[in-house]
Short mmCIF file of all heavy atoms in Angstrom, two decimals:
data_model
loop_
_atom_site.label_atom_id
_atom_site.label_comp_id
_atom_site.label_asym_id
_atom_site.label_seq_id
_atom_site.Cartn_x
_atom_site.Cartn_y
_atom_site.Cartn_z
N VAL Z 337 -13.06 18.07 3.27
CA VAL Z 337 -12.21 19.24 3.07
C VAL Z 337 -12.69 20.41 3.92
O VAL Z 337 -11.88 21.20 4.42
CB VAL Z 337 -12.12 19.63 1.57
CG1 VAL Z 337 -13.42 20.22 1.06
CG2 VAL Z 337 -10.96 20.58 1.33
N LEU Z 338 -14.00 20.53 4.15
CA LEU Z 338 -14.50 21.59 5.03
C LEU Z 338 -13.99 21.39 6.46
O LEU Z 338 -13.65 22.36 7.15
CB LEU Z 338 -16.03 21.61 5.03
CG LEU Z 338 -16.72 21.99 3.72
CD1 LEU Z 338 -18.23 21.88 3.86
CD2 LEU Z 338 -16.32 23.39 3.26
N ALA Z 339 -13.92 20.15 6.90
CA ALA Z 339 -13.40 19.87 8.24
C ALA Z 339 -11.95 20.28 8.37
O ALA Z 339 -11.52 20.83 9.39
CB ALA Z 339 -13.57 18.38 8.56
N VAL Z 340 -11.17 20.03 7.31
CA VAL Z 340 -9.76 20.42 7.33
C VAL Z 340 -9.62 21.94 7.35
O VAL Z 340 -8.81 22.50 8.10
CB VAL Z 340 -9.01 19.80 6.13
CG1 VAL Z 340 -7.65 20.44 5.95
CG2 VAL Z 340 -8.89 18.29 6.32
N ILE Z 341 -10.43 22.64 6.55
CA ILE Z 341 -10.37 24.11 6.57
C ILE Z 341 -10.77 24.62 7.95
O ILE Z 341 -10.11 25.51 8.52
CB ILE Z 341 -11.31 24.70 5.49
CG1 ILE Z 341 -10.86 24.26 4.09
CG2 ILE Z 341 -11.31 26.23 5.56
CD1 ILE Z 341 -11.86 24.57 2.99
N GLY Z 342 -11.81 24.03 8.53
CA GLY Z 342 -12.23 24.44 9.86
C GLY Z 342 -11.18 24.20 10.92
O GLY Z 342 -11.13 24.91 11.94
N SER Z 343 -10.31 23.25 10.70
CA SER Z 343 -9.29 22.92 11.70
C SER Z 343 -8.25 24.02 11.87
O SER Z 343 -7.55 24.06 12.89
CB SER Z 343 -8.61 21.59 11.35
OG SER Z 343 -7.76 21.74 10.22
N VAL Z 344 -8.13 24.92 10.88
CA VAL Z 344 -7.17 26.03 10.99
C VAL Z 344 -7.86 27.39 10.96
O VAL Z 344 -7.20 28.42 10.93
CB VAL Z 344 -6.10 25.95 9.88
CG1 VAL Z 344 -5.25 24.70 10.05
CG2 VAL Z 344 -6.73 25.98 8.49
N ALA Z 345 -9.19 27.40 10.97
CA ALA Z 345 -9.93 28.66 10.99
C ALA Z 345 -10.15 29.11 12.44
O ALA Z 345 -10.28 28.28 13.34
CB ALA Z 345 -11.28 28.48 10.28
N ASP Z 346 -10.20 30.40 12.67
CA ASP Z 346 -10.44 30.93 14.02
C ASP Z 346 -11.84 30.56 14.49
O ASP Z 346 -12.82 30.71 13.76
CB ASP Z 346 -10.28 32.45 14.03
CG ASP Z 346 -8.84 32.90 13.83
OD1 ASP Z 346 -7.93 32.07 14.07
OD2 ASP Z 346 -8.63 34.05 13.41
N GLY Z 347 -11.94 30.09 15.73
CA GLY Z 347 -13.24 29.79 16.30
C GLY Z 347 -13.72 28.40 15.93
O GLY Z 347 -12.96 27.54 15.48
N GLU Z 348 -15.02 28.21 16.12
CA GLU Z 348 -15.61 26.88 15.93
C GLU Z 348 -16.25 26.74 14.55
O GLU Z 348 -16.90 27.66 14.05
CB GLU Z 348 -16.69 26.64 17.00
CG GLU Z 348 -17.33 25.25 16.93
CD GLU Z 348 -18.43 25.06 17.96
OE1 GLU Z 348 -19.54 25.59 17.75
OE2 GLU Z 348 -18.17 24.38 18.96
N THR Z 349 -16.06 25.59 13.96
CA THR Z 349 -16.76 25.20 12.73
C THR Z 349 -17.69 24.04 13.06
O THR Z 349 -17.26 23.06 13.67
CB THR Z 349 -15.77 24.81 11.62
OG1 THR Z 349 -15.05 25.97 11.20
CG2 THR Z 349 -16.50 24.20 10.43
N ARG Z 350 -18.96 24.17 12.68
CA ARG Z 350 -19.94 23.10 12.88
C ARG Z 350 -20.45 22.64 11.53
O ARG Z 350 -20.93 23.45 10.73
CB ARG Z 350 -21.12 23.58 13.73
CG ARG Z 350 -20.81 23.79 15.20
CD ARG Z 350 -22.08 24.16 15.95
NE ARG Z 350 -23.06 23.06 15.91
CZ ARG Z 350 -24.37 23.25 16.10
NH1 ARG Z 350 -24.85 24.46 16.33
NH2 ARG Z 350 -25.19 22.22 16.07
N LEU Z 351 -20.33 21.36 11.27
CA LEU Z 351 -20.83 20.75 10.04
C LEU Z 351 -21.95 19.82 10.45
O LEU Z 351 -21.73 18.80 11.11
CB LEU Z 351 -19.70 20.00 9.32
CG LEU Z 351 -18.44 20.85 9.05
CD1 LEU Z 351 -17.33 19.99 8.45
CD2 LEU Z 351 -18.75 22.03 8.15
N THR Z 352 -23.18 20.17 10.07
CA THR Z 352 -24.36 19.53 10.64
C THR Z 352 -25.16 18.73 9.61
O THR Z 352 -24.93 18.83 8.41
CB THR Z 352 -25.28 20.59 11.27
OG1 THR Z 352 -25.80 21.45 10.23
CG2 THR Z 352 -24.53 21.45 12.28
N ASN Z 353 -26.12 17.93 10.13
CA ASN Z 353 -27.07 17.17 9.32
C ASN Z 353 -26.36 16.17 8.40
O ASN Z 353 -26.68 16.05 7.23
CB ASN Z 353 -27.96 18.12 8.50
CG ASN Z 353 -29.16 17.42 7.91
OD1 ASN Z 353 -29.61 16.39 8.40
ND2 ASN Z 353 -29.69 17.96 6.82
N ILE Z 354 -25.41 15.45 8.96
CA ILE Z 354 -24.61 14.53 8.14
C ILE Z 354 -24.53 13.11 8.72
O ILE Z 354 -23.48 12.47 8.67
CB ILE Z 354 -23.19 15.09 7.91
CG1 ILE Z 354 -22.58 15.62 9.23
CG2 ILE Z 354 -23.21 16.17 6.85
CD1 ILE Z 354 -21.14 16.11 9.10
N PRO Z 355 -25.64 12.56 9.22
CA PRO Z 355 -25.56 11.17 9.70
C PRO Z 355 -25.24 10.18 8.59
O PRO Z 355 -24.69 9.10 8.84
CB PRO Z 355 -26.95 10.92 10.28
CG PRO Z 355 -27.85 11.85 9.53
CD PRO Z 355 -27.01 13.09 9.32
N HIS Z 356 -25.58 10.54 7.33
CA HIS Z 356 -25.34 9.63 6.21
C HIS Z 356 -23.86 9.48 5.89
O HIS Z 356 -23.49 8.58 5.13
CB HIS Z 356 -26.12 10.07 4.97
CG HIS Z 356 -26.06 11.53 4.63
ND1 HIS Z 356 -26.15 12.54 5.55
CD2 HIS Z 356 -25.95 12.16 3.43
CE1 HIS Z 356 -26.09 13.71 4.96
NE2 HIS Z 356 -25.96 13.51 3.67
N LEU Z 357 -22.99 10.33 6.50
CA LEU Z 357 -21.55 10.15 6.30
C LEU Z 357 -21.05 8.87 6.96
O LEU Z 357 -19.95 8.39 6.64
CB LEU Z 357 -20.77 11.34 6.85
CG LEU Z 357 -20.22 12.27 5.76
CD1 LEU Z 357 -21.35 13.03 5.09
CD2 LEU Z 357 -19.18 13.23 6.32
N ARG Z 358 -21.84 8.32 7.83
CA ARG Z 358 -21.42 7.07 8.49
C ARG Z 358 -21.58 5.86 7.56
O ARG Z 358 -21.12 4.77 7.89
CB ARG Z 358 -22.22 6.86 9.77
CG ARG Z 358 -22.00 7.98 10.79
CD ARG Z 358 -22.54 7.60 12.15
NE ARG Z 358 -22.41 8.70 13.10
CZ ARG Z 358 -21.28 8.99 13.77
NH1 ARG Z 358 -20.20 8.26 13.59
NH2 ARG Z 358 -21.25 10.01 14.62
N PHE Z 359 -22.23 6.06 6.41
CA PHE Z 359 -22.49 4.94 5.49
C PHE Z 359 -21.72 5.10 4.18
O PHE Z 359 -22.11 4.56 3.16
CB PHE Z 359 -23.99 4.84 5.20
CG PHE Z 359 -24.84 4.73 6.43
CD1 PHE Z 359 -25.70 5.75 6.79
CD2 PHE Z 359 -24.75 3.61 7.25
CE1 PHE Z 359 -26.47 5.67 7.94
CE2 PHE Z 359 -25.52 3.51 8.40
CZ PHE Z 359 -26.38 4.54 8.74
N LYS Z 360 -20.62 5.85 4.21
CA LYS Z 360 -19.80 6.02 3.01
C LYS Z 360 -18.73 4.91 2.97
O LYS Z 360 -18.87 3.86 3.60
CB LYS Z 360 -19.19 7.41 3.01
CG LYS Z 360 -20.21 8.55 2.92
CD LYS Z 360 -20.86 8.59 1.56
CE LYS Z 360 -21.77 9.79 1.40
NZ LYS Z 360 -22.37 9.85 0.05
N GLU Z 361 -17.63 5.17 2.24
CA GLU Z 361 -16.57 4.17 2.15
C GLU Z 361 -16.07 3.76 3.54
O GLU Z 361 -15.61 2.65 3.76
CB GLU Z 361 -15.40 4.71 1.32
CG GLU Z 361 -15.64 4.70 -0.17
CD GLU Z 361 -16.46 5.89 -0.68
OE1 GLU Z 361 -17.13 6.58 0.12
OE2 GLU Z 361 -16.43 6.12 -1.90
N THR Z 362 -16.16 4.71 4.48
CA THR Z 362 -15.92 4.43 5.88
C THR Z 362 -16.87 5.33 6.66
O THR Z 362 -17.62 6.11 6.08
CB THR Z 362 -14.45 4.71 6.26
OG1 THR Z 362 -14.20 4.27 7.59
CG2 THR Z 362 -14.12 6.20 6.16
N ASP Z 363 -16.87 5.21 7.98
CA ASP Z 363 -17.62 6.14 8.82
C ASP Z 363 -16.83 7.44 8.85
O ASP Z 363 -15.91 7.62 9.65
CB ASP Z 363 -17.78 5.56 10.23
CG ASP Z 363 -18.55 6.46 11.18
OD1 ASP Z 363 -18.67 7.67 10.88
OD2 ASP Z 363 -19.02 5.97 12.21
N ARG Z 364 -17.19 8.34 7.94
CA ARG Z 364 -16.36 9.54 7.76
C ARG Z 364 -16.41 10.49 8.96
O ARG Z 364 -15.44 11.21 9.20
CB ARG Z 364 -16.76 10.26 6.47
CG ARG Z 364 -16.28 9.54 5.22
CD ARG Z 364 -16.68 10.26 3.95
NE ARG Z 364 -16.12 9.57 2.78
CZ ARG Z 364 -16.50 9.80 1.53
NH1 ARG Z 364 -17.45 10.68 1.28
NH2 ARG Z 364 -15.94 9.15 0.52
N LEU Z 365 -17.50 10.50 9.69
CA LEU Z 365 -17.54 11.33 10.90
C LEU Z 365 -16.49 10.86 11.90
O LEU Z 365 -15.71 11.66 12.43
CB LEU Z 365 -18.93 11.28 11.53
CG LEU Z 365 -20.05 12.02 10.81
CD1 LEU Z 365 -21.36 11.84 11.57
CD2 LEU Z 365 -19.74 13.49 10.68
N ARG Z 366 -16.49 9.58 12.16
CA ARG Z 366 -15.52 9.03 13.12
C ARG Z 366 -14.10 9.17 12.60
O ARG Z 366 -13.17 9.53 13.36
CB ARG Z 366 -15.85 7.57 13.40
CG ARG Z 366 -14.91 6.91 14.40
CD ARG Z 366 -15.62 5.83 15.17
NE ARG Z 366 -16.74 6.40 15.92
CZ ARG Z 366 -17.65 5.67 16.55
NH1 ARG Z 366 -17.59 4.36 16.51
NH2 ARG Z 366 -18.63 6.24 17.22
N ALA Z 367 -13.89 8.91 11.32
CA ALA Z 367 -12.54 8.99 10.74
C ALA Z 367 -11.99 10.41 10.84
O ALA Z 367 -10.83 10.62 11.23
CB ALA Z 367 -12.57 8.52 9.29
N LEU Z 368 -12.80 11.40 10.48
CA LEU Z 368 -12.35 12.79 10.54
C LEU Z 368 -12.03 13.20 11.98
O LEU Z 368 -10.99 13.82 12.24
CB LEU Z 368 -13.41 13.72 9.95
CG LEU Z 368 -13.51 13.71 8.43
CD1 LEU Z 368 -14.82 14.35 7.97
CD2 LEU Z 368 -12.31 14.43 7.79
N ALA Z 369 -12.91 12.87 12.90
CA ALA Z 369 -12.67 13.24 14.30
C ALA Z 369 -11.39 12.60 14.82
O ALA Z 369 -10.56 13.25 15.47
CB ALA Z 369 -13.87 12.82 15.16
N THR Z 370 -11.20 11.33 14.52
CA THR Z 370 -10.03 10.59 15.03
C THR Z 370 -8.73 11.17 14.48
O THR Z 370 -7.76 11.42 15.23
CB THR Z 370 -10.14 9.11 14.64
OG1 THR Z 370 -11.34 8.56 15.21
CG2 THR Z 370 -8.94 8.32 15.13
N GLU Z 371 -8.68 11.41 13.18
CA GLU Z 371 -7.41 11.83 12.57
C GLU Z 371 -7.12 13.31 12.81
O GLU Z 371 -5.96 13.69 12.98
CB GLU Z 371 -7.42 11.52 11.07
CG GLU Z 371 -7.69 10.06 10.73
CD GLU Z 371 -6.78 9.08 11.48
OE1 GLU Z 371 -5.55 9.24 11.41
OE2 GLU Z 371 -7.32 8.17 12.14
N LEU Z 372 -8.15 14.16 12.85
CA LEU Z 372 -7.90 15.57 13.15
C LEU Z 372 -7.34 15.75 14.56
O LEU Z 372 -6.51 16.63 14.81
CB LEU Z 372 -9.17 16.40 12.97
CG LEU Z 372 -9.65 16.59 11.52
CD1 LEU Z 372 -10.96 17.37 11.49
CD2 LEU Z 372 -8.59 17.31 10.68
N ARG Z 373 -7.79 14.91 15.49
CA ARG Z 373 -7.22 14.97 16.85
C ARG Z 373 -5.73 14.67 16.84
O ARG Z 373 -4.97 15.24 17.62
CB ARG Z 373 -7.96 14.00 17.77
CG ARG Z 373 -9.40 14.42 18.08
CD ARG Z 373 -10.06 13.46 19.05
NE ARG Z 373 -11.50 13.74 19.16
CZ ARG Z 373 -12.46 12.86 18.92
NH1 ARG Z 373 -12.14 11.61 18.56
NH2 ARG Z 373 -13.72 13.18 19.05
N LYS Z 374 -5.30 13.77 15.96
CA LYS Z 374 -3.86 13.47 15.86
C LYS Z 374 -3.06 14.70 15.44
O LYS Z 374 -1.89 14.84 15.77
CB LYS Z 374 -3.62 12.34 14.85
CG LYS Z 374 -4.15 10.98 15.27
CD LYS Z 374 -3.85 9.96 14.19
CE LYS Z 374 -4.44 8.60 14.50
NZ LYS Z 374 -4.19 7.62 13.40
N LEU Z 375 -3.71 15.60 14.69
CA LEU Z 375 -3.06 16.84 14.24
C LEU Z 375 -3.11 17.93 15.30
O LEU Z 375 -2.60 19.03 15.08
CB LEU Z 375 -3.71 17.34 12.95
CG LEU Z 375 -3.57 16.43 11.71
CD1 LEU Z 375 -4.49 16.91 10.60
CD2 LEU Z 375 -2.12 16.41 11.23
N GLY Z 376 -3.75 17.65 16.44
CA GLY Z 376 -3.85 18.62 17.50
C GLY Z 376 -5.11 19.46 17.48
O GLY Z 376 -5.18 20.51 18.12
N VAL Z 377 -6.14 18.99 16.76
CA VAL Z 377 -7.38 19.74 16.60
C VAL Z 377 -8.43 19.19 17.56
O VAL Z 377 -8.70 17.99 17.58
CB VAL Z 377 -7.89 19.65 15.16
CG1 VAL Z 377 -9.18 20.46 15.00
CG2 VAL Z 377 -6.83 20.14 14.17
N GLU Z 378 -9.04 20.08 18.34
CA GLU Z 378 -10.12 19.68 19.24
C GLU Z 378 -11.38 19.43 18.41
O GLU Z 378 -11.93 20.36 17.81
CB GLU Z 378 -10.38 20.77 20.28
CG GLU Z 378 -11.39 20.40 21.34
CD GLU Z 378 -11.61 21.51 22.35
OE1 GLU Z 378 -10.65 22.27 22.61
OE2 GLU Z 378 -12.74 21.62 22.86
N THR Z 379 -11.81 18.19 18.36
CA THR Z 379 -12.92 17.80 17.50
C THR Z 379 -13.94 17.01 18.31
O THR Z 379 -13.59 16.10 19.05
CB THR Z 379 -12.42 16.93 16.34
OG1 THR Z 379 -11.33 17.59 15.69
CG2 THR Z 379 -13.51 16.69 15.32
N THR Z 380 -15.21 17.36 18.15
CA THR Z 380 -16.30 16.65 18.82
C THR Z 380 -17.16 15.96 17.78
O THR Z 380 -17.68 16.60 16.86
CB THR Z 380 -17.16 17.62 19.64
OG1 THR Z 380 -16.33 18.33 20.57
CG2 THR Z 380 -18.25 16.87 20.39
N GLU Z 381 -17.29 14.66 17.94
CA GLU Z 381 -18.11 13.86 17.02
C GLU Z 381 -19.46 13.60 17.66
O GLU Z 381 -19.55 12.98 18.72
CB GLU Z 381 -17.40 12.54 16.73
CG GLU Z 381 -18.23 11.54 15.95
CD GLU Z 381 -17.69 10.12 16.07
OE1 GLU Z 381 -16.58 9.94 16.63
OE2 GLU Z 381 -18.39 9.19 15.63
N LEU Z 382 -20.51 14.09 17.04
CA LEU Z 382 -21.88 13.86 17.48
C LEU Z 382 -22.55 12.89 16.50
O LEU Z 382 -21.99 12.60 15.43
CB LEU Z 382 -22.64 15.18 17.55
CG LEU Z 382 -22.05 16.20 18.55
CD1 LEU Z 382 -22.75 17.54 18.41
CD2 LEU Z 382 -22.15 15.68 19.97
N PRO Z 383 -23.73 12.37 16.82
CA PRO Z 383 -24.35 11.38 15.92
C PRO Z 383 -24.52 11.88 14.49
O PRO Z 383 -24.40 11.09 13.54
CB PRO Z 383 -25.71 11.12 16.57
CG PRO Z 383 -25.47 11.37 18.02
CD PRO Z 383 -24.50 12.52 18.07
N ASP Z 384 -24.76 13.19 14.32
CA ASP Z 384 -25.03 13.69 12.97
C ASP Z 384 -24.29 14.98 12.65
O ASP Z 384 -24.67 15.72 11.76
CB ASP Z 384 -26.53 13.90 12.77
CG ASP Z 384 -27.10 14.94 13.74
OD1 ASP Z 384 -26.37 15.35 14.66
OD2 ASP Z 384 -28.27 15.33 13.56
N GLU Z 385 -23.20 15.26 13.38
CA GLU Z 385 -22.44 16.46 13.07
C GLU Z 385 -21.03 16.39 13.63
O GLU Z 385 -20.70 15.52 14.45
CB GLU Z 385 -23.13 17.71 13.59
CG GLU Z 385 -23.13 17.88 15.10
CD GLU Z 385 -23.74 19.21 15.53
OE1 GLU Z 385 -24.98 19.32 15.57
OE2 GLU Z 385 -22.96 20.14 15.82
N LEU Z 386 -20.20 17.32 13.16
CA LEU Z 386 -18.85 17.50 13.68
C LEU Z 386 -18.70 18.92 14.20
O LEU Z 386 -19.14 19.88 13.54
CB LEU Z 386 -17.80 17.27 12.59
CG LEU Z 386 -17.40 15.85 12.21
CD1 LEU Z 386 -16.37 15.90 11.08
CD2 LEU Z 386 -16.82 15.10 13.41
N LYS Z 387 -18.08 19.07 15.37
CA LYS Z 387 -17.68 20.37 15.88
C LYS Z 387 -16.16 20.42 15.90
O LYS Z 387 -15.52 19.52 16.44
CB LYS Z 387 -18.23 20.60 17.29
CG LYS Z 387 -19.73 20.76 17.38
CD LYS Z 387 -20.15 21.04 18.82
CE LYS Z 387 -21.65 21.23 18.94
NZ LYS Z 387 -22.05 21.49 20.36
N ILE Z 388 -15.61 21.44 15.30
CA ILE Z 388 -14.16 21.55 15.15
C ILE Z 388 -13.72 22.90 15.68
O ILE Z 388 -14.20 23.95 15.22
CB ILE Z 388 -13.76 21.41 13.67
CG1 ILE Z 388 -14.26 20.07 13.12
CG2 ILE Z 388 -12.26 21.55 13.49
CD1 ILE Z 388 -14.54 20.09 11.65
N GLU Z 389 -12.83 22.88 16.65
CA GLU Z 389 -12.28 24.12 17.21
C GLU Z 389 -10.95 24.39 16.51
O GLU Z 389 -10.02 23.59 16.60
CB GLU Z 389 -12.07 23.99 18.72
CG GLU Z 389 -11.77 25.29 19.43
CD GLU Z 389 -12.92 26.28 19.39
OE1 GLU Z 389 -14.08 25.83 19.51
OE2 GLU Z 389 -12.65 27.49 19.23
N GLY Z 390 -10.91 25.50 15.78
CA GLY Z 390 -9.71 25.80 15.00
C GLY Z 390 -8.46 25.87 15.87
O GLY Z 390 -8.48 26.46 16.95
N ALA Z 391 -7.37 25.27 15.42
CA ALA Z 391 -6.11 25.25 16.15
C ALA Z 391 -5.17 26.34 15.63
O ALA Z 391 -5.27 26.74 14.46
CB ALA Z 391 -5.44 23.88 16.01
N LYS Z 392 -4.28 26.79 16.50
CA LYS Z 392 -3.31 27.81 16.06
C LYS Z 392 -2.37 27.22 15.01
O LYS Z 392 -1.92 27.93 14.10
CB LYS Z 392 -2.52 28.33 17.26
CG LYS Z 392 -3.35 29.18 18.21
CD LYS Z 392 -2.50 29.78 19.31
CE LYS Z 392 -3.34 30.68 20.23
NZ LYS Z 392 -2.54 31.26 21.32
N TYR Z 393 -2.07 25.95 15.16
CA TYR Z 393 -1.27 25.28 14.15
C TYR Z 393 -1.57 23.78 14.21
O TYR Z 393 -2.05 23.26 15.21
CB TYR Z 393 0.23 25.54 14.35
CG TYR Z 393 0.80 24.97 15.62
CD1 TYR Z 393 1.27 23.66 15.67
CD2 TYR Z 393 0.87 25.75 16.77
CE1 TYR Z 393 1.79 23.14 16.85
CE2 TYR Z 393 1.39 25.24 17.95
CZ TYR Z 393 1.84 23.93 17.99
OH TYR Z 393 2.34 23.40 19.15
N LEU Z 394 -1.31 23.10 13.11
CA LEU Z 394 -1.44 21.65 13.06
C LEU Z 394 -0.07 21.02 13.24
O LEU Z 394 0.94 21.53 12.75
CB LEU Z 394 -2.04 21.21 11.71
CG LEU Z 394 -3.39 21.80 11.31
CD1 LEU Z 394 -3.89 21.15 10.02
CD2 LEU Z 394 -4.42 21.65 12.41
N GLN Z 395 -0.04 19.91 13.96
CA GLN Z 395 1.21 19.19 14.19
C GLN Z 395 1.25 17.97 13.29
O GLN Z 395 0.34 17.14 13.32
CB GLN Z 395 1.32 18.75 15.65
CG GLN Z 395 2.61 18.01 15.98
CD GLN Z 395 3.85 18.84 15.69
OE1 GLN Z 395 3.95 19.99 16.14
NE2 GLN Z 395 4.78 18.30 14.92
N GLY Z 396 2.28 17.90 12.45
CA GLY Z 396 2.41 16.77 11.53
C GLY Z 396 2.30 15.44 12.26
O GLY Z 396 2.75 15.29 13.40
N SER Z 397 1.67 14.47 11.61
CA SER Z 397 1.42 13.18 12.24
C SER Z 397 1.28 12.12 11.15
O SER Z 397 1.34 12.43 9.95
CB SER Z 397 0.15 13.25 13.09
OG SER Z 397 -0.07 12.04 13.77
N THR Z 398 1.10 10.90 11.56
CA THR Z 398 0.80 9.81 10.64
C THR Z 398 -0.70 9.56 10.69
O THR Z 398 -1.26 9.27 11.75
CB THR Z 398 1.56 8.53 11.01
OG1 THR Z 398 2.98 8.79 10.90
CG2 THR Z 398 1.20 7.39 10.06
N LEU Z 399 -1.34 9.69 9.54
CA LEU Z 399 -2.80 9.66 9.46
C LEU Z 399 -3.28 8.48 8.63
O LEU Z 399 -2.68 8.16 7.60
CB LEU Z 399 -3.33 10.96 8.84
CG LEU Z 399 -2.87 12.26 9.49
CD1 LEU Z 399 -3.39 13.45 8.71
CD2 LEU Z 399 -3.33 12.33 10.95
#
Side-chain angles (χ1 to χ4, degrees):
V337 72
L338 294 177
V340 167
I341 298 169
S343 72
V344 295
D346 290 339
E348 183 183 76
T349 292
R350 288 184 63 202
L351 306 175
T352 66
N353 194 24
I354 46 176
H356 45 319
L357 255 70
R358 298 193 184 278
F359 306 113
K360 296 290 186 178
E361 283 82 343
T362 187
D363 180 341
R364 286 180 176 166
L365 288 179
R366 181 151 298 171
L368 285 164
T370 301
E371 304 309 306
L372 289 177
R373 290 183 189 123
K374 292 180 184 177
L375 295 168
V377 181
E378 185 180 329
T379 309
T380 304
E381 172 199 351
L382 299 172
D384 61 351
E385 70 175 81
L386 280 179
K387 291 183 179 179
I388 302 151
E389 191 65 38
K392 290 185 178 179
Y393 65 87
L394 303 185
Q395 181 59 52
S397 183
T398 297
L399 306 176

